[in-house]
Amino acid sequence: MPRRITAPAAWLHRLRPGRSRRRRLTVAVLAVLGLLLLPVGGAAAALRLQYVGEPSAEARTRDRDALWLGHAWVDGRRTDADLTALAARLAGTGVHDLYVHTGPLAHDGSLDPALAPQARWFLDGVHRRLPGLRVQAWLGDVVAPEKDGLHLDRPEVRTRITVATVQTLALGFEGVHFDLEPVRSGSAGFLALLDQVRPLTAASGVPLSVAAPQIDPVPGLHRVGLAVADHGKWWSKEYFADVARRVDQIAVMSYDTGMPLESLYGGYVARQTELALAATPDSVDLLMGLPAYWQDDFGHRGSAETVAAAVRGARLALGRSGRQSFGLALYVDFTATPADWNAYRNGWCR
């Protein structure tokens, strides 16, 4: 009996070697996928757990929040009626800093004064309608080697950016906010720029502020991003700390995460907040960015990356810290909807 059963099986195996190879290949692929999905599933579960629980009642605005504002406020497109509406929108919130887009910087680091002909009008209008708010010049550009832009390793480029800082302070801005992307983790040129500008802002009694990438969710992940996609999406926690020690404010761009679900995104923001809290000195204001815009692609799912989820995630992490030098920053005024503002107010403001 055994021979009658095994003989046909061996015969079939010899006649159909393709099916056998396909089967072995299928099993191997499934095994590899299983190995890959196990850590992914574990990471998703960990992020979901980060989002569990109720935020502390004390994890509310410290009145150190910020709002990124578009270029229309300084180029003549906005009106007095727009300023009145902005004042009404911000009344009763924790917003203390306005980052108004005053650039962009040219690729050589210089700033064309003609880009912001209404800067003084905006500054005067904010001070009349919203006394106590601080207006910072938001200066940005793309950065080499990843983009055809600023070469921060070149001293002459850093010098021109420093001159641009002096220009904006002469206009009456009460700080400068650098949004230079993508600065790769470990960039010595960026640190040198901050070391060059900080004495100027300190002498003027105004803050130096930067927009920062997210911190490696897994140690060394920034190296993987560079090796696989030649893209510096994350900073190591050590480099984040190096930057934070050189500025007065650091605002984490905690969006464009690719998270597919709101709960996972909220957990991711909680984790990023924990990492940033640990890396930022208490003397430096740490702000976590809120995605007040809609986009639906591989890097940003609008249904997942919501203001409500980001606020809740940040509160969950902050509640375990008690830190006072902390805020939330909404990006950006011209895309924020009433629902975004309500989520910020109801979830964060007292």
Side-chain angles (χ1 to χ4, degrees):
M1 286 291 292
R3 289 183 180 177
R4 289 186 179 180
I5 293 173
T6 57
W11 176 72
L12 286 172
H13 179 73
R14 287 194 299 271
L15 284 180
R16 294 184 288 184
R19 171 181 283 188
S20 178
R21 283 196 297 270
R22 286 195 299 271
R23 183 177 180 181
R24 289 197 297 269
L25 180 60
T26 300
V27 170
V29 169
L30 290 175
V32 171
L33 286 176
L35 290 173
L36 292 174
L37 290 175
L38 278 174
V40 171
L47 291 180
R48 184 64 184 87
L49 286 174
Q50 291 268 173
Y51 202 54
V52 171
E54 287 300 318
S56 167
E58 298 303 311
R60 295 284 185 176
T61 184
R62 276 80 164 123
D63 296 321
R64 295 172 185 253
D65 302 335
L67 172 65
W68 278 282
L69 293 167
H71 197 81
W73 290 102
V74 295
D75 69 3
R77 284 177 285 169
R78 295 292 191 178
T79 66
D80 283 331
D82 294 319
L83 267 175
T84 300
L86 178 64
R89 175 68 74 190
L90 297 179
T93 70
V95 173
H96 179 256
D97 283 283
L98 301 177
Y99 306 138
V100 60
H101 191 269
T102 313
L105 296 168
H107 289 348
D108 67 357
S110 62
L111 177 65
D112 182 357
L115 290 174
Q118 295 299 312
R120 178 61 68 181
W121 167 84
F122 178 69
L123 290 163
D124 291 344
V126 169
H127 293 152
R128 283 196 309 273
R129 292 170 172 82
L130 292 164
L133 258 69
R134 189 165 53 188
V135 184
Q136 300 190 43
W138 167 10
L139 301 177
D141 191 23
V142 295
V143 176
E146 206 163 309
K147 304 288 185 180
D148 181 18
L150 296 168
H151 287 264
L152 296 178
D153 56 329
R154 297 177 181 174
E156 65 274 17
V157 171
R158 299 196 298 269
T159 296
R160 293 188 191 101
I161 297 174
T162 304
V163 171
T165 300
V166 173
Q167 286 178 239
T168 59
L169 297 182
L171 287 171
F173 283 99
E174 300 150 304
V176 60
H177 176 77
F178 288 142
D179 178 17
L180 309 177
E181 302 180 46
V183 172
R184 291 182 169 180
S185 185
S187 168
F190 187 56
L191 297 181
L193 172 66
L194 300 179
D195 287 338
Q196 192 167 322
V197 172
R198 182 78 178 279
L200 295 174
T201 55
S204 299
V206 300
L208 172 59
S209 172
V210 294
Q214 298 149 32
I215 301 173
D216 280 343
V218 177
L221 190 60
H222 69 280
R223 295 191 186 94
V224 177
L226 288 173
V228 173
D230 195 33
H231 176 46
K233 180 174 178 59
W234 298 279
W235 281 353
S236 71
K237 64 179 181 180
E238 293 81 10
Y239 187 71
F240 187 97
D242 285 342
V243 172
R245 285 193 294 268
R246 288 168 163 82
V247 299
D248 303 290
Q249 284 184 333
I250 187 164
V252 182
M253 296 178 285
S254 41
Y255 33 75
D256 295 343
T257 66
M259 293 294 160
L261 300 173
E262 193 173 29
S263 59
L264 296 182
Y265 173 65
Y268 184 85
V269 172
R271 179 57 180 155
Q272 283 293 312
T273 304
E274 286 182 346
L275 292 169
L277 285 167
T280 306
D282 288 340
S283 59
V284 176
D285 282 346
L286 168 65
L287 295 94
M288 301 303 294
L290 303 179
Y293 64 96
W294 179 270
Q295 187 174 309
D296 217 12
D297 57 25
F298 178 78
H300 180 102
R301 297 305 297 261
S303 59
E305 295 196 23
T306 65
V307 170
V311 168
R312 188 170 187 275
R315 287 188 64 202
L316 285 167
L318 181 64
R320 297 187 280 272
S321 161
R323 179 190 180 112
Q324 293 302 306
S325 52
F326 184 87
L328 300 180
L330 287 99
Y331 181 86
V332 60
D333 75 300
F334 56 83
T335 58
T337 65
D340 292 328
W341 280 104
N342 287 338
Y344 160 70
R345 282 179 174 273
N346 297 334
W348 180 240
C349 300
R350 297 183 185 276

